[in-house]
Amino acid sequence: MSTEVTADESYEDLYENAPCGYLSTSPAGVVVRVNETFLRMGGYRREDVLVTPFEHLLAPGSQVFLNTHYQLALSLDGSVSEVPLTLTRADGSTLDVVVNATMARDADGPTGWVRTAVFDATKRRNYARELLGARRTAERAERRARVLEGASSILGTADTEEALVNAVSDIVRGAFDAIAAQLMLVSGATVAASDGGVAEHVIALDVLWPRAQRASDLSVVTTSQVIERHPEFGHALKANRIHSLVVSPVRDADDVIALVATFFRRQRDVDADESELLSALARYSGQVLQRIRLQEVLRTAALHDQLTGLPNRTLLADVLEQALATASRYHRPMAVLYLDLDGFKQINDALGHGHGDAVLIEAGDRLRRVVRSGDTIARVGGDEFVVVCSNAGPSGVAAIVARIHDSLSMAFDVLDIESHLSASIGAALFDPGDRECSGDDLIRAADAAMYESKRTGKNRVTVVTV
Amino acid sequence: MSVAPKPADVVSKNNVKQAGVGDGPALMFAHGFGCSQNMWRLVAPQFESGYRVITFDHVGSGGSDLSAYDRGTYDSLHGYADDVIDIITALELHDVILVGHSVGATIAALAAIAAPELFSKLVLVGPSPRYINDGDYIGGFEESDIDAMLDNVDSNYLGWSSAIAPAIMGNTDRPELTEELTSSFCSTDPAIAQHFARVTFLSDNRDDLASVSTPTLIVQSADDVIAPLAVGQFVHEAIGDSHLVVVPANGHCLHLSHPSELVAAMRSFLT
């Protein structure tokens, strides 16, 4: 085998037909020398490349990368290696390459003259793209799963509307990199909307959820659009530098019961993945909102009398306990009134249950109107009511009792003009001092006093001190 | 508004560096996407004899406190502009001359709109309020170009260890490259870089420019693929009190490629 150097291995040929593209650029960034291999790679004519800025030979994405990363690295270190870039060929097609480059130096430091070797990297870049695509898909799926998992554990524990609103806002803000997010509750045709800051506005549902959008799962509303429909709210958004809102409806069957809104300080579109995630969070928020509202209904039902809407025995026990605790702490007198409607049984028997119920409802309303705002009235039996009066001594109780007797003595619409109603009342007064007393003690005493009133002629009050 | 930020907090959050004359006029530099305050190393020192020179890294870049990167806050350029205001407030600066490059120029404009009383002058180097073409407006890029660029950033981070980092870290014959400089350039988190790129290149702040009331110098390269000349002219027309200087050069980073021309343009504007 000969080791003799042939004419083909001249330095010029080594340069021109090297197994990689090769070019030199001046400190101004323009190409001053280029080899044949590079021209062949790009399908360029030599005169198209010479005196052209190197960045003009790159696809736009690579131009940005060159200006934002590559040049800094090159100038800081004097060389870069294996940097992926994309060339724009003479025919407009692109070619993926990797480049190594070095910047020449002299005694004063970098000269700005750069030598660049360019390698065709189509296969490697395609592989990298596939890898990147797979990684992005995996990351998106992971992120989505993480958000939904977090949402299900946090929202699952929300037991009031307020807690739900706060939890949804935190979760959605984090999931969408939004400056703010809010679960906005819809009431009829209006929505309680925040402006991304602290202020609350009540605005027409149409402003954030236009009719045209209602078939869809998502609406992107810009601040300028909001200003057209609701200037006050729009300007509040603008003052908070909000540019756009992405809104997803929370539905109960066909009704929109809330909106999940994300606030952005830039123009923002959502891709299919994000749209699906926002819809999923909205759906989930809706389920939790309905659960909370149902619990609220059940709680109300469990603690109130269905006919009159007044507190029942269970709630009365709670209220009484609190009243006793307050009375003891502040050494204030209190009272419990036990009240039985005189002659109610006869009305019920004579006129039927329908009329009897109407009388009870009306009596309940009248009692509500004549007691003090802090007092509690409970219905504890067929025609029996209990009133808890905090901070009331003998004269206060006498005044309340007088108002009750007066209000019940007036004619009832459902009754004959002659049929008046009255009440036998037992009042148990308690002045704490250093004594203790239970709620049951007070009720028992008031009940006994009420029987005393019945026994001694009805329509009167018997007062005892416990 | 929240309570006034403390100097120590903003210094560590934004890696704030001060040099020059303590009681001189405040001259503050905001870097662009993909880099750090080191980009100003050929320009900022030239003002140290007459100015109080302040450089810093945007949160998420360089030697900033990455734990301060709240994605919601930095989902728009306003988050970065608020940091500029915080630094000025914490250091008790006034009549600040704020210099911004590229997206740093847009951040500077947003800061000057939010708190005009803090600034005396703005210098916008290669500004672009919107990078994507829109009707008659030539931003220089199509949306697909930006996607390709985001891919490029990602694949470079994918191959980060073989592409850029070792080239910098491996230099043993470059004593002037301090370890700090090297680490600050390399520490950018890929997820943050991706988000900052998205926010930078998908923002549209054209409508904001008319609200800039601070006297402004625009320095623009004659041939810049990222911020074409037409964009520089657009910014000049949009900002009432502005002056446009076109440097006969190509490239987007005048502060690296043509520092003396940039310094000369700034000096004649500032005096």
Side-chain angles (χ1 to χ4, degrees):
Chain A
M1 197 183 289
S2 169
T3 56
E4 205 174 314
V5 176
T6 66
D8 282 355
E9 297 294 305
S10 70
Y11 286 125
E12 187 178 353
D13 189 58
L14 283 175
Y15 176 77
E16 290 295 348
N17 295 302
C20 67
Y22 197 73
L23 54 88
S24 309
T25 49
S26 72
V30 303
V31 179
V32 290
R33 280 202 73 175
V34 60
N35 73 351
E36 280 293 334
T37 311
F38 183 78
L39 296 176
R40 278 197 299 274
M41 282 171 124
Y44 308 116
R45 292 177 305 174
R46 192 172 292 269
E47 59 268 35
D48 294 338
V49 172
L50 286 179
V51 208
T52 297
F54 175 55
E55 63 179 347
H56 285 196
L57 303 175
L58 299 175
S62 292
Q63 292 176 334
V64 176
F65 187 75
L66 190 84
N67 278 283
T68 54
H69 290 77
Y70 181 97
Q71 283 171 345
L72 177 65
L74 191 56
S75 78
L76 278 178
D77 184 63
S79 73
V80 293
S81 62
E82 294 184 58
V83 178
L85 292 175
T86 303
L87 294 180
T88 303
R89 284 192 171 113
D91 64 5
S93 64
T94 57
L95 177 70
D96 289 325
V97 296
V98 291
V99 306
N100 289 350
T102 54
M103 187 181 281
R105 298 178 56 79
D106 59 19
D108 298 330
T111 60
W113 293 88
V114 176
R115 293 169 180 171
T116 307
V118 182
F119 302 86
D120 185 330
T122 309
K123 283 181 187 152
R124 183 181 140 175
R125 293 285 302 281
N126 282 343
Y127 180 64
R129 263 193 206 104
E130 277 173 29
L131 215 60
L132 195 62
R135 194 184 68 178
R136 282 188 187 156
T137 307
E139 279 174 358
R140 269 203 293 265
E142 193 266 344
R143 184 169 155 83
R144 185 187 142 85
R146 190 157 32 85
V147 169
L148 288 176
E149 195 184 303
S152 83
S153 72
I154 294 168
L155 298 187
T157 63
D159 55 1
T160 62
E161 288 189 8
E162 193 188 353
L164 176 66
V165 164
N166 291 336
V168 171
S169 301
D170 284 352
I171 291 163
V172 174
R173 179 185 188 272
F176 292 89
D177 300 338
I179 189 71
Q182 203 202 7
L183 178 68
M184 300 171 162
L185 301 180
V186 169
S187 158
T190 63
V191 53
S194 123
D195 54 22
V198 284
E200 288 279 339
H201 303 251
V202 173
I203 62 170
L205 176 60
D206 250 15
V207 171
L208 293 177
W209 189 243
R211 277 176 198 287
Q213 301 288 341
R214 292 194 184 173
S216 139
D217 248 3
L218 204 96
S219 147
V220 181
V221 193
T222 64
T223 296
S224 350
Q225 287 167 340
V226 174
I227 288 174
E228 280 170 27
R229 313 195 60 151
H230 196 301
E232 191 198 339
F233 182 55
H235 286 293
L237 289 173
K238 197 173 176 180
N240 266 314
R241 297 179 288 175
I242 303 298
H243 185 284
S244 52
L245 289 85
V246 177
V247 180
S248 190
V250 174
R251 289 195 167 93
D252 176 4
D254 289 337
D255 295 333
V256 174
I257 55 171
L259 299 174
V260 178
T262 49
F263 299 79
F264 298 99
R265 284 183 168 168
R266 65 178 169 105
Q267 183 179 309
R268 179 74 149 75
D269 284 326
V270 281
D271 60 27
D273 274 350
E274 288 181 315
S275 162
E276 205 185 310
L277 180 57
L278 189 57
S279 302
L281 288 172
R283 257 195 317 279
Y284 195 44
S285 306
Q287 289 163 7
V288 176
L289 183 57
Q290 288 176 53
R291 193 247 301 147
I292 288 171
R293 286 180 173 171
L294 186 61
Q295 277 173 344
E296 186 56 40
V297 168
L298 292 176
R299 198 170 11 242
T300 306
L303 297 176
H304 290 80
D305 165 44
Q306 273 192 335
L307 181 67
T308 59
L310 293 172
N312 62 14
R313 266 184 194 282
T314 313
L315 184 51
L316 171 67
D318 275 358
V319 169
L320 192 48
E321 199 171 311
Q322 279 174 32
L324 275 165
T326 309
S328 298
R329 190 173 324 128
Y330 299 106
H331 301 289
R332 285 179 183 154
M334 63 168 291
V336 167
L337 311 183
Y338 208 112
L339 187 155
D340 184 284
L341 299 181
D342 299 324
F344 177 76
K345 191 175 180 308
Q346 291 84 331
I347 291 170
N348 217 23
D349 291 346
L351 301 174
H353 289 297
H355 280 73
D357 286 352
V359 168
L360 287 171
I361 293 169
E362 175 72 25
D365 283 346
R366 290 186 186 187
L367 290 173
R368 247 194 292 253
R369 281 198 293 271
V370 297
V371 299
R372 302 167 310 168
S373 63
D375 297 340
T376 300
I377 311 158
R379 180 174 175 229
V380 295
D383 59 350
E384 294 178 347
F385 300 84
V386 168
V387 185
V388 179
C389 307
S390 290
N391 199 14
S395 60
V397 167
I400 295 167
V401 166
R403 289 204 298 274
I404 291 174
H405 276 137
D406 282 352
S407 78
L408 294 178
S409 70
M410 279 181 276
F412 279 69
D413 283 348
V414 292
L415 300 180
D416 298 339
I417 204 83
E418 311 85 56
S419 322
H420 289 288
L421 210 61
S422 65
S424 297
I425 300 176
L429 303 184
F430 175 61
D431 197 345
D434 46 10
R435 291 171 313 117
E436 286 196 2
C437 157
S438 74
D440 282 348
D441 292 342
L442 272 176
I443 289 186
R444 253 195 308 275
D447 191 14
M450 183 272 289
Y451 274 104
E452 184 61 18
S453 294
K454 282 258 190 234
R455 206 180 56 79
T456 52
K458 301 180 180 172
N459 196 20
R460 66 188 61 206
V461 63
T462 307
V463 180
V464 295
T465 300
V466 179
Chain B
M1 284 298 280
S2 51
V3 287
K6 294 193 189 78
D9 294 343
V10 302
V11 165
S12 66
K13 182 178 167 193
N14 284 97
N15 192 25
V16 176
K17 309 277 185 204
Q18 299 193 69
V21 190
D23 57 357
L27 179 61
M28 186 172 179
F29 291 89
H31 68 81
F33 167 71
C35 43
S36 69
Q37 59 186 297
N38 292 312
M39 287 294 268
W40 295 110
R41 70 191 184 282
L42 304 179
V43 172
Q46 302 204 38
F47 290 92
E48 285 174 13
S49 59
Y51 294 85
R52 177 174 179 182
V53 174
I54 300 106
T55 55
F56 69 96
D57 295 329
H58 297 302
V59 170
S61 301
S64 66
D65 177 5
L66 297 190
S67 71
Y69 194 85
D70 172 83
R71 293 180 65 90
T73 301
Y74 297 105
D75 186 63
S76 79
L77 300 179
H78 293 285
Y80 296 97
D82 289 348
D83 283 348
V84 170
I85 292 169
D86 278 355
I87 294 168
I88 292 172
T89 312
L91 300 183
E92 297 180 355
L93 307 176
H94 54 87
D95 299 313
V96 175
I97 304 152
L98 180 57
V99 187
H101 170 244
S102 196
V103 73
T106 308
I107 291 166
L110 293 177
I113 293 166
E117 69 284 0
L118 297 177
F119 301 95
S120 68
K121 282 172 176 165
L122 289 184
V123 178
L124 310 182
V125 185
S128 176
R130 177 184 165 107
Y131 295 89
I132 297 175
N133 302 331
D134 179 29
D136 291 344
Y137 175 84
I138 305 297
F141 296 91
E142 294 299 331
E143 206 153 341
S144 58
D145 297 333
I146 299 301
D147 290 339
M149 189 275 300
L150 295 173
D151 278 358
N152 207 313
V153 170
D154 256 10
S155 51
N156 272 287
Y157 279 109
L158 194 69
W160 180 250
S161 55
S162 69
I164 288 179
I168 295 171
M169 292 195 287
N171 76 77
T172 46
D173 59 336
R174 298 288 309 280
E176 75 273 24
L177 264 189
T178 62
E179 195 179 316
E180 182 193 354
L181 185 144
T182 305
S183 63
S184 73
F185 182 66
C186 297
S187 64
T188 311
D189 175 82
I192 293 176
Q194 182 70 222
H195 190 216
F196 189 21
R198 209 163 269 285
V199 170
T200 296
F201 291 102
L202 299 180
S203 282
D204 184 352
N205 296 98
R206 286 176 294 172
D207 291 345
D208 293 312
L209 295 179
S211 307
V212 174
S213 56
T214 313
T216 300
L217 170 69
I218 300 153
V219 188
Q220 162 83 44
S221 177
D223 180 6
D224 179 348
V225 293
I226 295 191
L229 191 51
V231 172
Q233 274 152 356
F234 178 93
V235 175
H236 175 42
E237 278 161 32
I239 300 179
D241 186 358
S242 71
H243 186 66
L244 174 65
V245 170
V246 179
V247 176
N250 71 70
H252 184 56
C253 298
L254 286 172
H255 47 347
L256 276 189
S257 64
H258 296 74
S260 26
E261 285 87 342
L262 176 59
V263 169
M266 285 174 61
R267 283 204 191 284
S268 90
F269 174 66
L270 296 178
T271 49

